[in-house]
Amino acid sequence: MSGVVRVVLVDDQALMRAGFRALLDAEEGIEVVGEAADGEQGVALVRAQVPDVALVDVQMPVMSGIEATRRIAADPALAAVRVVILTNYGLDEYVFEALRAGAGGFLLKDTEPADLLQAIDVVVHGEALLSPSVTRTLIGEFVARPPDRSTAPGLDALTRREREVTALAARGLSNEEIAAHMVISPLTTKTHISRAMTKLGARDRAQLVVFAYESGLVAVRGTA
């Protein structure tokens, strides 16, 4: 990480917030700049602080984490804020909606400290944060239903290369791995990813992954 990463905590459980704060405040290069106990307070806090990362509980009173994420993602002034949804389960019915709303990924509340710190680093650098178990379940869900090309009007706008890098990103490959696979430079890979996100209106890599599956760009038959 370069500079200090500013984080806000949005969770209705005071003990949970205290635990995350203690861990993050002890880490050099990370600063917790505020806490909120519900989604409405969380949106107001994010607007006031404009942090790098917002850790947001999926289920809260007054306003859910999904609605809070949607409002944060819809605000142009908060375009640089990365939202990470906190959940008690590896995957639940809220995952798809939250990703579409603009979440950059998911974290289990009982995640290991080292994994939490790595997760913050991942989303700050614009990568999609989905644990292997969540990714497997996501793929399983997409296999169970047919592609909905009506949700992906920008598919035809992608070049062949942009489609290829999008598909590889959806399979969980990093920019370096995509570059090696396609025999291109990491910088060229990053450019293709960036252009694909712009054409599709994807806020971040997580939404690009969802698009790839929903549009049928990624063939998931036989994947478990």
Side-chain angles (χ1 to χ4, degrees):
M1 300 178 190
S2 58
V4 175
V5 176
R6 303 170 73 252
V7 179
V8 300
L9 306 173
V10 186
D11 195 306
D12 60 319
Q13 297 179 347
L15 187 61
M16 186 63 64
R17 296 197 309 273
F20 277 117
R21 177 182 274 276
L23 173 63
L24 296 175
D25 279 346
E27 186 69 15
E28 185 177 353
I30 297 178
E31 178 186 5
V32 176
V33 296
E35 299 180 22
D38 62 57
E40 187 172 57
Q41 292 179 9
V43 173
L45 176 62
V46 169
R47 285 174 175 160
Q49 294 291 342
V50 193
D52 299 297
V53 178
L55 298 179
V56 180
D57 186 18
V58 71
Q59 292 180 291
M60 292 181 290
V62 185
M63 181 189 294
S64 72
I66 292 173
E67 180 58 28
T69 299
R70 185 175 291 114
R71 296 192 184 191
I72 292 169
D75 189 337
L78 305 177
V81 178
R82 293 290 170 254
V83 177
V84 175
I85 293 291
L86 301 173
T87 177
N88 288 313
Y89 309 100
L91 185 82
D92 55 33
E93 67 271 22
Y94 303 108
V95 166
F96 304 103
E97 190 175 354
L99 282 173
R100 294 188 188 101
F106 289 80
L107 268 183
L108 295 178
K109 286 190 175 183
D110 63 354
T111 189
E112 294 293 326
D115 292 335
L116 171 63
L117 298 176
Q118 181 184 19
I120 290 175
D121 185 59
V122 166
V123 294
V124 162
H125 288 90
E127 299 289 332
L129 175 63
L130 294 172
S131 70
S133 62
V134 171
T135 302
R136 282 195 298 270
T137 312
L138 276 171
I139 292 173
E141 286 289 330
F142 283 118
V143 168
R145 60 191 185 192
D148 181 5
R149 294 186 182 277
S150 66
T151 66
L155 183 61
D156 292 339
L158 298 185
T159 65
R160 179 180 62 83
R161 282 296 207 185
E162 289 165 357
R163 290 190 186 202
E164 189 174 354
V165 296
T166 297
L168 292 172
R171 294 197 178 280
L173 274 66
S174 67
N175 283 356
E176 290 71 21
E177 291 169 334
I178 292 172
H181 179 86
M182 296 178 63
V183 196
I184 56 179
S185 73
L187 180 58
T188 299
T189 300
K190 186 175 181 179
T191 298
H192 286 317
I193 290 286
S194 179
R195 287 176 178 169
M197 287 172 55
T198 298
K199 290 179 180 180
L200 300 174
R203 176 181 170 87
D204 55 24
R205 201 180 182 103
Q207 288 194 317
L208 192 67
V209 169
V210 170
F211 167 85
Y213 284 113
E214 286 193 322
S215 67
L217 180 62
V218 176
V220 293
R221 292 182 181 83
T223 306

